[in-house]
């Protein structure tokens, strides 16, 4: 049986950063990746715009990944690629992990785990589109995989549902490769993606964006031949009589991402219904001792730079992990927050710098984020605007606040 | 008055450019790069082009590439046509030009990943 200190599951940007940090923290580290190549989703994100925060440069996804892969290889960290983790069991001293690859079944023990398993795309069956089940319905990430990794075009003429960033990026990519993108349809009254992507991906190529409209039905037997689009009311319910049939050969979906936590759940890790990732403390340790979470498995990020940052934090903490009593208090957030990460603070382990990630529930202009301890204001930060598509990052020093297990730690948003 | 969105960072500042005959007045930017972007966008809009080239390696049938610097926006599809002629037959590493001085624009098309043989 193979033994190591820290096992990192997932070889994308979060896992690479976690493995490097764990290695630097002195832990014997093993990274497990199910694909043949490291880099995760960045391999297929060939557009630029990555790394502005971390490297002060505009890199493409593969360029960003390669920087970490080079550091990872130079550090001599062991990686098992084309290896799939099938089971993890918690023991008194750590974890026993079972994985499979072409050499057979492997059993590995570790003292701590970092789950860097990324996220999955929401599919057509999860957005309730009626009709037949023809070929030609792809998630934006699948279309991106076909074009950017396999060199195959999945469509000549398509409709995109959802204005998330991947959908916008794919609208441009498909157009560059000669496909016609008839339009991007968004059920919500506001776009989901970043403003700059609306500009450089849609506006640049004259691709129309239809807000408060959605796809309600697909047509076609073997292959998709058309979709029906409908206007929706403020409750996102289709309005009768507004249906319109559009001929196309594909429907591309960019309708949201969900953190992947199947392994976490099998270990009894508690999830946050808001983030759909594990509830964790400031060291990114989940409710199960020795299990850490980072990147898009923890919560869906919009910048890879913060994925790497959380990976680094989880990896460092995993290397330092020793089983000891926790004294955690909850970080509560008001209804203006879509979510806040971490959700807990371990009073036995408070750092002078705790990094908080959050999103607002709705668009707010000119507002303050206020942190209170026992209703006493301890921090106030002004934001000219907060938008749900844009994740915010806040550093708070909790170490000087004399927090006790009775303290109530609250976050709220106040519009000025 | 021209309205545009700065694409240089995720802030995506909404910029206004007023054309007062001789001078362009930019408002709405949070940093000075926004000013530069708005003027470039009004006089000579450019974009970094990111796409792929075909390879002869079954493990990686396409390799990602980009223009080394931004190219004039109206030449994007012309440059795409050039890039689509390329077939990579060597295991190139990241940052290698696959086209130098594309269409006489004094800009190279470079690889953004290394061809890896995983078998």
């Amino acid at each position: 049986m193979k033994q190591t200190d820290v096992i990192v599951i997932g070889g994308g940007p979060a896992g690479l950063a976690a493995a490097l940090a764990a290695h630097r923290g002195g832990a014997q580290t093993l990274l497990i990746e199910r694909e043949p190549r490291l880099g995760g989703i960045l391999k297929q994100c060939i557009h630029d715009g990555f790394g502005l925060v971390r490297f002060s440069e505009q890199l493409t996804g593969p360029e960003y990944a390669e920087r970490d892969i080079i550091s990872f290889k130079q550090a001599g960290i062991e990686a098992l690629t084309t290896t799939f983790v099938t089971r993890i069991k918690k023991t008194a001293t750590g974890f026993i992990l079972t994985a499979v690859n072409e050499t057979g079944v492997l059993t590995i023990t570790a003292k701590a785990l970092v789950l860097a398993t990324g996220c999955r795309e929401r599919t057509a069956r999860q957005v309730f589109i009626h009709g037949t089940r023809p070929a030609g319905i792809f998630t934006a990430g699948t279309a991106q995989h076909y074009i950017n990794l396999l060199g195959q075009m999945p469509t000549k003429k398509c409709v995109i549902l959802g204005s998330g960033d991947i959908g916008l990026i794919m609208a441009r990519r498909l157009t560059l490769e000669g496909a016609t993108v008839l339009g991007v349809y968004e059920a919500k009254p506001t776009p989901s993606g970043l403003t700059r992507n609306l500009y450089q991906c849609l506006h640049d190529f004259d691709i129309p964006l239809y807000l408060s409209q959605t796809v309600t039905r697909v047509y076609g037997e073997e292959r998709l031949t058309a979709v029906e689009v409908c206007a929706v009311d403020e409750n996102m319910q289709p309005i009768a009589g507004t249906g319109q049939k559009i001929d196309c050969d594909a429907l591309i979906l960019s309708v949201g991402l969900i953190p992947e936590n199947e392994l976490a759940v099998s270990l009894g890790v508690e999830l946050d219904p808001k983030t759909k990732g594990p509830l964790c403390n400031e060291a990114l340790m989940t409710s199960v001792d020795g299990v850490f979470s980072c990147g898009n498995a923890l919560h869906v990020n919009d910048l890879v730079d913060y994925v790497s940052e959380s990976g680094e934090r989880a990896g460092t903490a995993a290397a330092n992990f020793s089983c000891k009593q926790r004294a955690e208090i909850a970080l509560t957030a008001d209804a203006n927050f879509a979510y806040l990460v971490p959700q807990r603070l371990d009073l036995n382990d408070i750092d002078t710098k705790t990094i908080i990630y959050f999103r607002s529930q709705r668009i707010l202009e000119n507002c303050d984020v206020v942190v209170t301890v026992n209703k006493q204001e301890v921090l106030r930060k002004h934001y000219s605007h907060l938008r749900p598509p844009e994740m915010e990052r806040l550093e708070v020093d909790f170490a000087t606040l004399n927090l006790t297990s009775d303290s109530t730690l609250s976050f709220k948003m106040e519009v000025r | 008055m021209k309205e545009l969105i700065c694409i240089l960072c995720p802030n995506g500042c909404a910029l206004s450019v007023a054309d007062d005959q001789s001078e362009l007045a930019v408002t709405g930017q949070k940093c000075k790069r926004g000013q530069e972007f708005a003027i470039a966008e009004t006089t000579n809009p450019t974009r970094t082009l990111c796409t792929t080239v075909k390879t002869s390696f079954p493990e990686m049938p396409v390799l990602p590439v980009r223009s080394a610097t931004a190219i004039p926006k109206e030449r994007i599809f012309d440059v795409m046509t050039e890039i689509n002629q390329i077939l990579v037959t060597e295991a190139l590493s990241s940052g290698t030009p696959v086209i130098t001085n594309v269409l006489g624009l004094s800009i190279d098309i470079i690889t953004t990943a290394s061809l890896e043989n995983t078998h």
Side-chain angles (χ1 to χ4, degrees):
Chain A
M1 193 184 304
K2 198 178 169 76
Q3 293 183 337
T4 190
D5 295 330
V6 175
I7 293 177
V8 177
I9 302 171
L16 287 166
L20 266 163
H23 172 81
R24 285 180 188 139
Q28 193 188 344
T29 305
L30 170 70
L31 185 144
I32 301 179
E33 165 58 45
R34 64 179 182 173
E35 291 192 15
R37 286 196 290 141
L38 297 174
I41 203 69
L42 289 174
K43 295 194 297 292
Q44 68 184 57
C45 299
I46 64 163
H47 53 280
D48 73 342
F50 299 90
L52 263 177
V53 178
R54 191 161 164 230
F55 299 116
S56 303
E57 272 182 73
Q58 291 250 29
L59 303 171
T60 63
E63 288 170 317
Y64 186 103
E66 190 156 294
R67 292 198 178 192
D68 286 337
I69 294 167
I70 288 169
S71 308
F72 179 89
K73 287 185 175 161
Q74 279 172 351
I77 305 167
E78 190 187 352
L80 290 172
T81 51
T82 326
T83 302
F84 193 80
V85 176
T86 54
R87 197 161 61 134
I88 309 173
K89 235 179 88 184
K90 186 158 170 56
T91 64
T93 51
F95 303 90
I96 302 175
L97 184 143
T98 311
V100 286
N101 64 17
E102 58 186 6
T103 67
V105 178
L106 312 168
T107 308
I108 312 158
T109 66
K111 293 174 192 152
L113 292 179
V114 179
L115 302 178
T117 44
C119 59
R120 302 285 173 268
E121 293 177 282
R122 193 170 273 137
T123 64
R125 295 298 144 201
Q126 290 163 299
V127 291
F128 305 109
I129 296 170
H130 300 285
T132 51
R133 291 192 172 195
I137 305 173
F138 307 100
T139 61
T142 303
Q144 192 176 47
H145 181 94
Y146 276 120
I147 302 174
N148 294 348
L149 294 179
L150 303 178
Q152 304 288 337
M153 276 297 278
T155 174
K156 291 190 177 78
K157 192 164 84 166
C158 67
V159 159
I160 297 181
L161 175 63
S163 60
D165 285 307
I166 319 167
L168 303 178
I169 298 284
M170 285 316 294
R172 172 176 65 183
R173 185 74 188 111
L174 286 158
T175 307
L176 281 174
E177 289 294 348
T180 304
V181 178
L182 295 166
V184 174
Y185 290 80
E186 171 60 60
K188 284 180 272 179
T190 52
S192 303
L194 296 174
T195 321
R196 70 162 175 169
N197 285 335
L198 295 170
Y199 189 75
Q200 64 184 350
C201 298
L202 301 189
H203 180 269
D204 270 10
F205 297 94
D206 298 318
I207 300 166
L209 170 66
Y210 302 99
L211 297 172
S212 299
Q213 292 196 44
T214 193
V215 172
T216 42
R217 185 172 285 275
V218 293
Y219 299 89
E221 293 303 323
E222 292 286 300
R223 178 78 192 193
L224 188 131
T225 54
V227 298
E228 180 192 64
V229 296
C230 238
V232 297
D233 62 21
E234 56 274 23
N235 300 317
M236 305 233 278
Q237 294 305 307
I239 302 169
T242 61
Q244 186 197 346
K245 194 171 169 184
I246 300 173
D247 291 339
C248 56
D249 66 11
L251 171 64
I252 313 274
L253 301 169
S254 174
V255 287
L257 301 166
I258 305 164
E260 169 58 44
N261 280 293
E262 210 173 307
L263 285 171
V265 168
S266 78
L267 281 161
V269 166
E270 216 179 311
L271 300 188
D272 179 346
K274 291 178 177 168
T275 56
K276 301 190 170 59
L279 283 167
C280 63
N281 66 21
E282 73 294 338
L284 304 185
M285 182 150 75
T286 66
S287 60
V288 176
D289 286 337
V291 179
F292 297 81
S293 175
C294 58
N296 284 345
L298 176 60
H299 66 111
V300 176
N301 291 251
D302 44 40
L303 297 185
V304 68
D305 309 70
Y306 298 127
V307 165
S308 302
E309 181 179 62
S310 71
E312 227 172 282
R313 240 194 317 160
T316 304
N320 292 332
F321 172 71
S322 60
C323 225
K324 57 185 183 205
Q325 198 68 34
R326 294 198 235 178
E328 289 184 345
I329 58 168
L331 275 66
T332 57
D334 75 6
N336 286 317
F337 285 83
Y339 68 73
L340 188 130
V341 171
Q343 299 88 344
R344 290 169 182 171
L345 193 64
D346 186 357
L347 301 179
N348 291 342
D349 208 14
I350 300 188
D351 208 340
T352 51
K353 188 178 93 173
T354 297
I355 300 164
I356 310 275
Y357 303 120
F358 68 89
R359 284 177 198 273
S360 68
Q361 182 65 44
R362 57 197 170 94
I363 298 172
L364 291 172
E365 307 273 346
N366 196 22
C367 83
D368 288 352
V369 167
V370 184
V371 186
T372 62
V373 175
N374 299 331
K375 295 184 178 160
Q376 201 83 38
E377 183 177 319
V378 293
L379 185 100
R380 177 178 288 267
K381 191 177 175 197
H382 179 251
Y383 291 86
S384 61
H385 61 259
L386 290 168
R387 299 189 196 110
E390 292 164 21
M391 190 203 81
E392 299 290 341
R393 178 186 183 278
L394 184 65
E395 282 181 20
V396 189
D397 179 1
F398 288 117
T400 56
L401 298 176
N402 301 316
L403 295 168
T404 67
S405 56
D406 301 329
S407 302
T408 309
L409 191 50
S410 307
F411 285 70
K412 57 183 176 180
M413 289 180 190
E414 283 179 6
V415 178
R416 282 190 180 176
Chain B
M1 187 79 92
K2 197 179 161 179
E3 306 289 332
L4 43 99
I5 302 290
C6 181
I7 60 169
L8 297 183
C9 88
N11 281 335
C13 292
L15 309 177
S16 298
V17 186
D19 192 351
D20 295 337
Q21 263 129 52
S22 59
E23 230 175 289
L24 293 170
V26 183
T27 49
Q29 68 276 27
K30 281 191 189 141
C31 76
K32 68 173 190 335
R33 300 201 312 147
Q35 162 105 9
E36 291 159 19
F37 173 79
I39 290 171
E41 190 70 359
T42 313
T43 53
N44 174 31
T46 61
R47 295 288 184 269
T48 300
L49 175 62
C50 298
T51 180
T52 54
V53 289
K54 289 197 167 55
T55 81
S56 57
F57 296 83
E59 288 283 306
M60 279 180 77
V62 286
L63 186 64
V65 296
R66 67 172 165 90
S67 57
T69 55
I71 59 171
K73 203 171 126 183
E74 79 272 4
R75 302 302 301 276
I76 283 176
F77 284 96
D78 300 337
V79 175
M80 277 299 289
T81 307
E82 292 301 302
I83 292 173
N84 288 340
Q85 314 291 321
I86 300 292
L87 177 72
V88 171
T89 54
E90 290 166 76
L92 301 180
S93 56
S94 178
T96 312
V98 291
I99 305 178
T100 49
N101 187 18
V102 66
L103 295 173
L105 294 168
S106 306
I107 294 165
D108 294 348
I109 303 299
I110 61 169
T111 58
T112 58
S114 303
L115 248 168
E116 268 180 81
N117 200 342
T118 47
H119 268 213

